[in-house]
Amino acid sequence: MPAITVLVIAVALIAVVTLAKAVRIVPQQRQDVVERLGKYKRTLNPGLNLLVPFIDAVRTKVDMREQVVSFPPQPVITSDNLVVSIDTVLYYKVIDSVRATYEISNFIQAIEQLTVTTLRNVIGSLDLERALTSREEINRHLSGVLDETTGRWGIKVTRVEIKAIEPPPSIRDSMEKQMRAERDRRAAILNAEGHKQAQILTAEGEKQAAVLRADGDRQARILQAEGQAKAIRTVFDAIHQANPSQKVLAYQYLQALPQIANGTANKVWIVPAELTKALEGMGGALGGLSRMVGDEPAPEAADHASAVEREAAEAAQAAAAAAQEIHDEVRVAEAQATGGTQQGLPAPEPVSPANLVNDPADQRERG
């Protein structure tokens, strides 16, 4: 009995092991390369597969998904003899598991070495500045060379990316200084352009403001001149419509004469000798205005005649005093200018206020 039990157990174990070796389940996106007695037999696809136990064996399990591998930084010399460190990333996919298994022993290592040598050839023909700015060109060149070579191995290189290009520290410092100087230059140019535009806009604004001010001043002067012209025309029309007498005009002249004499800017007055005669004639005019045609006082103004005569007398007296004072100042100024050696103008005869307002002819007419 014990021997039979052991035999049954042994047969059962052999059957389980045989079944395990005969049945192979392959997951999705994987292929198993099967060899029979050391020779390639077939490739197992995803799903349930049967093998001949103890005769068929799985050589490799190939992952058919796209893979990514990052290579360590590699020192590369550029055309201007500068050593840069380049770090690359490779994307590949196995398209033929049999060739990837039998054409090359380690396709990852082969791809890495091929990438390094191709990268050195490409970077060796470029200077540092072009190498830093031509990543797309380098990637296309690497992809073309790797895809052509790895196609024999059943490998498809889908993409090659340069992750980093690190120049030496001294070159990085020089590049930073150059970039800083370039930024400073651009900032200075932009600042100068802004200052220029500001000055242009300011000048344009001042120009427009000056033009507007000049136009406003011109309009103001025109309006002021038109206003003065209208005022003069109105006064002139009013005077002609009022028909003032000569007595009123002479009275107004006598009132304005002291104001002319009292001007602060009048330092020296040259009084002609005919001034007294003019004043005498004015007095005669004041006395004889009543005898002029059409100058008779109106009945309603008879009550004010005496008042007007008194005001005229006072005005004549003030005018005579002002004329005498001006004449004295002129004499003194002539004496100072000539040093007392030359004689001044002959002194005019003094004019009394009575002579200005009392004309003999008027007195005779009244008598």
Side-chain angles (χ1 to χ4, degrees):
M1 284 297 294
I4 296 175
T5 303
V6 173
L7 181 59
V8 171
I9 293 174
V11 172
L13 290 175
I14 292 173
V16 170
V17 172
T18 301
L19 183 62
K21 287 186 174 291
V23 178
R24 174 71 62 177
I25 298 176
V26 180
Q28 186 68 29
Q29 290 296 327
R30 198 184 79 179
Q31 290 182 354
D32 294 349
V33 178
V34 178
E35 292 180 349
R36 177 171 292 180
L37 301 176
K39 184 180 179 180
Y40 170 75
K41 179 62 179 176
R42 64 193 179 100
T43 302
L44 302 181
N45 294 319
L48 181 62
N49 297 275
L50 298 176
L51 301 176
V52 178
F54 306 106
I55 297 177
D56 293 340
V58 177
R59 168 70 182 272
T60 57
K61 299 176 181 179
V62 181
D63 192 347
M64 304 301 293
R65 294 175 297 179
E66 187 174 2
Q67 303 292 325
V68 57
V69 58
S70 178
F71 300 139
Q74 299 293 328
V76 180
I77 300 177
T78 61
S79 62
D80 49 357
N81 297 326
L82 293 176
V83 179
V84 294
S85 179
I86 299 180
D87 190 4
T88 57
V89 178
L90 179 67
Y91 296 85
Y92 70 94
K93 182 179 181 180
V94 178
I95 58 177
D96 191 343
S97 58
V98 177
R99 286 190 294 175
T101 303
Y102 294 104
E103 294 292 336
I104 190 169
S105 62
N106 189 350
F107 62 86
I108 296 296
Q109 184 179 4
I111 291 175
E112 179 182 359
Q113 296 301 321
L114 182 61
T115 302
V116 171
T117 55
T118 306
L119 189 63
R120 287 179 177 174
N121 291 332
V122 174
I123 298 298
S125 62
L126 303 175
D127 56 5
L128 178 60
E129 185 176 358
R130 188 178 176 186
L132 293 174
T133 58
S134 303
R135 293 192 177 188
E136 292 295 333
E137 181 181 354
I138 297 173
N139 293 338
R140 287 195 300 269
H141 196 281
L142 287 174
S143 297
V145 173
L146 292 175
D147 189 35
E148 181 182 358
T149 304
T150 59
R152 304 191 308 268
W153 305 336
I155 307 297
K156 173 66 175 178
V157 177
T158 58
R159 191 176 182 86
V160 181
E161 291 289 342
I162 296 178
K163 187 165 61 177
I165 300 177
E166 297 292 336
S170 59
I171 300 300
R172 288 200 300 268
D173 294 340
S174 300
M175 293 173 62
E176 290 178 359
K177 292 179 181 179
Q178 182 180 1
M179 293 173 62
R180 191 179 303 111
E182 181 67 20
R183 291 191 182 97
D184 293 340
R185 183 183 68 84
R186 293 179 181 178
I189 292 174
L190 292 177
N191 189 16
E193 289 290 338
H195 186 63
K196 174 183 176 182
Q197 293 295 330
Q199 289 184 343
I200 291 174
L201 293 177
T202 302
E204 289 291 337
E206 292 178 354
K207 175 184 176 181
Q208 294 180 3
V211 171
L212 293 176
R213 283 196 297 268
D215 186 65
D217 190 16
R218 182 177 65 85
Q219 295 292 335
R221 290 177 179 271
I222 291 174
L223 294 176
Q224 185 179 5
E226 291 179 354
Q228 292 179 355
K230 290 181 179 179
I232 293 173
R233 189 180 300 110
T234 302
V235 173
F236 185 78
D237 294 340
I239 292 174
H240 278 277
Q241 290 177 3
N243 193 15
S245 63
Q246 296 294 331
K247 184 186 295 184
V248 175
L249 296 178
Y251 176 66
Q252 292 293 329
Y253 178 79
L254 291 176
Q255 285 185 337
L257 186 60
Q259 297 178 0
I260 296 174
N262 292 331
T264 56
N266 300 328
K267 301 301 181 181
V268 178
W269 283 77
I270 305 299
V271 181
E274 290 80 1
L275 179 60
T276 55
K277 295 182 179 180
L279 292 176
E280 291 178 357
M282 189 180 302
L286 290 175
L289 285 177
S290 59
R291 295 183 291 104
M292 297 178 64
V293 179
D295 197 27
E296 294 296 334
E300 60 273 10
D303 297 336
H304 301 282
S306 59
V308 173
E309 290 180 359
R310 286 195 301 272
E311 291 180 0
E314 292 176 357
Q317 184 176 1
Q324 186 63 34
E325 184 178 357
I326 293 171
H327 180 70
D328 294 338
E329 291 180 358
V330 171
R331 300 283 294 180
V332 172
E334 288 181 354
Q336 292 178 355
T338 57
T341 58
Q342 297 180 0
Q343 297 295 329
L345 296 174
E349 295 179 359
V351 180
S352 62
N355 292 332
L356 293 176
V357 296
N358 296 327
D359 186 59
D362 191 14
Q363 290 178 359
R364 287 193 299 270
E365 184 177 353
R366 289 181 182 179

